[in-house]
Amino acid sequence: MLFNSPQFIFLFLPIVFVGYFVLNSIAPVYISRAWLAACSLFFYGFWNPRYLPLILLSIALNFLIGRSLILYKKRAFLIAGIVFNLGLLGYYKYFDFFLENMNLLFSTDIPLLNLVLPLAISFFTFQQISYLVDCYRGKVENYNLINYALFITFFPHLIAGPIVHHRVMMPQFQSASNLKINFENIALGIFVFSIGLFKKVMLADHFSTTVLDGMNYLDTITFFDAWTVTLSYTFQLYFDFSGYSDMAIGLALLFNIKLPINFDSPYKARNFQEMVSRWHITLTRFLYEYVYYPMQRWLSKRFFSSPRFKLGSKIKTSINVVLLFLLSGIWHGAGWNFIIWGLLMGIGVVVYRMWSKWNIKLPLFLAWGLTFCYANFILVFFRASNLDQALLLIKAMLGLNGFILPEQLSHVLSPLSTVGVHFGSTPLKDKYKALGLIILGFIIILGFKNTSEKMKTFKPTLIYAIFIAIIFVYSILNLTKVSEFLYFKF
């Protein structure tokens, strides 16, 4: 079930909302939490009921391991829990990729399992690992099974985050003031959800048509069309994930739960490290807290302390940063294109750190432009299905496939024909619409406050009510197709 589907908005959500607060008023709180967890499992199983036993098994085993960690603080339990979670993720997400490369490397013909990736496995795996580590560190006190199941399955964040801590979310469910309907939270939640719905339906889904069109003729795509396609994907991904994050936060507010901000105008960043820190904030935070710092300590103890590895602290840090983002790339997908994308992310952060150490300062617009262009460039690997596709698109972006402008511009830009620019038609449809959307995308991301900034000044006034009504109704009327969010496949 999708947030941007009529059955979710007009059927599932009202039933869950009414049921939750009615049960809060007439029954013990564990009943309403069980209701919300059961509805969240229905939400998850609506996509493919076959994987419901998998998430239930994962929840049950992690709960038992977490309880053992709270009671006994045995490191062996923590290691077993992490191995179980990563093993489950590795089997479903990476086993076929491993077999493919084994076949390629050793010229074997081992049949692939063709496993279907269970929805949200990357997100609930990391969330459960963070829970186990927090249990081991003594940061979890309440280990009630219903509470834990709700913590993992709460439908606003289940499919694509944000990744949340048990100690952050569960006290909100246990607060007596949150058991009653809060009309201010409802007004704010509807406001934020409507903005997210608009981003998804009216922006991301329209950018996607240009991207899909361009990816169909990569063998012949030329310079201007290639940049149109890559910029369209850059904005599609932005508004798709930003829209999902808004909708998740808005939905949680309806139940008086405040989820952490997961997206903070990354395309306004003036350096690559800042951009990374603003994109998928909770994933970055998880990777630093639960991967980077433990990895740094482990590498320092096992390798960097050896006389054979006499490296400066800056070089050690750079290696750790590149490894961290390599893992981030692998987490996003099983493919060499994701591995390269992760490496390029890490290299971008390291280069910026070196740049800043040398105290080199650029004009703000140039710094922003370099950051945005680099992000747009490496997203080619994120979007491409394989390395061949990525290389074809990069070849065109570098002008190696030639330059073709629309025939209508020939009388204005005819001098460009002397430098290899040709005028004619290209297979890319609706070029002017795509260009208009790209310009609109730049205006929105650079000229307006983001949703989290708007939330700070939100007041349920008549003007806001009219604004919400317009964008909500307009989005609903344009739900001609219901498309998945891009992060669902991760």
Side-chain angles (χ1 to χ4, degrees), residues 30 128 206 381 426:
Y30 72 86
Q128 297 197 101
H206 283 278
F381 293 96
T426 59

Side-chain angles (χ1 to χ4, degrees), residues 454-473:
K454 288 284 188 182
M455 289 174 65
K456 295 175 183 178
T457 59
F458 174 81
K459 293 181 180 179
T461 62
L462 179 61
I463 293 176
Y464 271 117
I466 294 172
F467 173 73
I468 292 170
I470 290 173
I471 63 172
F472 180 80
V473 172

Side-chain angles (χ1 to χ4, degrees), residues 84-132:
F84 165 74
N85 284 291
L86 293 181
L88 199 65
L89 178 63
Y91 174 74
Y92 281 101
K93 194 166 186 175
Y94 305 106
F95 196 70
D96 274 348
F97 176 65
F98 172 76
L99 291 179
E100 286 176 356
N101 285 277
M102 287 288 291
N103 288 337
L104 183 64
L105 187 62
F106 298 106
S107 300
T108 55
D109 192 24
I110 304 172
L112 302 182
L113 301 182
N114 295 314
L115 298 168
V116 177
L117 185 67
L119 191 64
I121 190 171
S122 297
F123 289 94
F124 69 68
T125 295
F126 273 20
Q127 186 146 311
Q128 297 197 101
I129 288 175
S130 70
Y131 173 78
L132 296 181

Side-chain angles (χ1 to χ4, degrees), residues 127-398:
Q127 186 146 311
Q128 297 197 101
I129 288 175
S130 70
Y131 173 78
L132 296 181
V133 175
D134 287 351
C135 287
Y136 181 71
R137 293 173 177 173
K139 296 181 179 180
V140 176
E141 296 179 358
N142 187 308
Y143 46 87
N144 177 283
L145 178 58
I146 293 176
N147 286 352
Y148 180 70
L150 178 57
F151 160 65
I152 297 299
T153 63
F154 186 45
F155 70 89
H157 73 76
L158 172 60
I159 307 300
I163 300 170
V164 296
H165 289 285
H166 185 275
R167 64 182 184 271
V168 171
M169 193 170 79
M170 293 318 298
Q172 298 184 63
F173 278 109
Q174 293 165 347
S175 171
S177 61
N178 285 344
L179 300 179
K180 299 177 182 179
I181 291 177
N182 185 317
F183 290 101
E184 289 185 2
N185 282 343
I186 290 174
L188 180 58
I190 293 174
F191 170 71
V192 175
F193 178 85
S194 299
I195 290 176
L197 181 65
F198 183 86
K199 288 178 181 178
K200 170 61 176 171
V201 175
M202 301 308 303
L203 294 171
D205 287 352
H206 283 278
F207 278 114
S208 70
T209 58
T210 300
V211 177
L212 290 173
D213 186 25
M215 297 300 288
N216 287 331
Y217 69 98
L218 290 180
D219 290 337
T220 58
I221 194 170
T222 55
F223 179 82
F224 296 106
D225 282 0
W227 278 94
T228 300
V229 170
T230 56
L231 285 170
S232 294
Y233 181 70
T234 294
F235 284 116
Q236 179 196 357
L237 185 63
Y238 179 96
F239 288 115
D240 194 278
F241 189 49
S242 175
Y244 182 92
S245 299
D246 289 348
M247 295 168 84
I249 289 172
L251 289 168
L253 280 170
L254 299 181
F255 299 88
N256 299 323
I257 304 300
K258 294 181 180 179
L259 295 179
I261 299 299
N262 206 25
F263 203 85
D264 188 21
S265 297
Y267 290 168
K268 286 182 179 178
R270 293 166 183 165
N271 64 71
F272 197 70
Q273 180 171 282
E274 181 188 1
M275 176 176 284
V276 168
S277 67
R278 290 175 168 220
W279 186 291
H280 211 325
I281 296 169
T282 58
L283 174 62
T284 304
R285 188 180 300 144
F286 172 92
L287 290 173
Y288 269 101
E289 183 176 354
Y290 297 99
V291 179
Y292 176 79
Y293 295 117
M295 178 179 68
Q296 189 178 47
R297 290 191 295 270
W298 187 82
L299 288 175
S300 296
K301 182 179 179 181
R302 296 296 179 92
F303 295 100
F304 294 151
S305 61
S306 171
R308 293 178 297 175
F309 291 93
K310 292 182 178 179
L311 302 175
S313 60
K314 294 179 182 178
I315 296 177
K316 294 176 185 176
T317 300
S318 297
I319 292 173
N320 289 329
V321 168
V322 171
L323 287 175
L324 176 73
F325 285 100
L326 172 62
L327 291 174
S328 175
I330 294 171
W331 177 86
H332 277 85
W336 287 105
N337 51 316
F338 287 107
I339 292 173
I340 292 173
W341 172 77
L343 284 172
L344 292 174
M345 288 270 287
I347 290 169
V349 173
V350 168
V351 168
Y352 165 72
R353 289 187 172 191
M354 294 170 56
W355 192 278
S356 60
K357 291 292 183 182
W358 296 334
N359 203 28
I360 298 175
K361 295 184 179 180
L362 297 175
L364 294 181
F365 182 77
L366 181 58
W368 170 84
L370 287 173
T371 302
F372 181 85
C373 287
Y374 184 72
N376 181 75
F377 177 80
I378 67 174
L379 279 176
V380 170
F381 293 96
F382 195 84
R383 172 58 181 85
S385 300
N386 51 58
L387 283 181
D388 290 338
Q389 280 194 350
L391 294 175
L392 286 171
L393 196 49
I394 288 172
K395 178 183 175 183
M397 292 172 70
L398 295 175

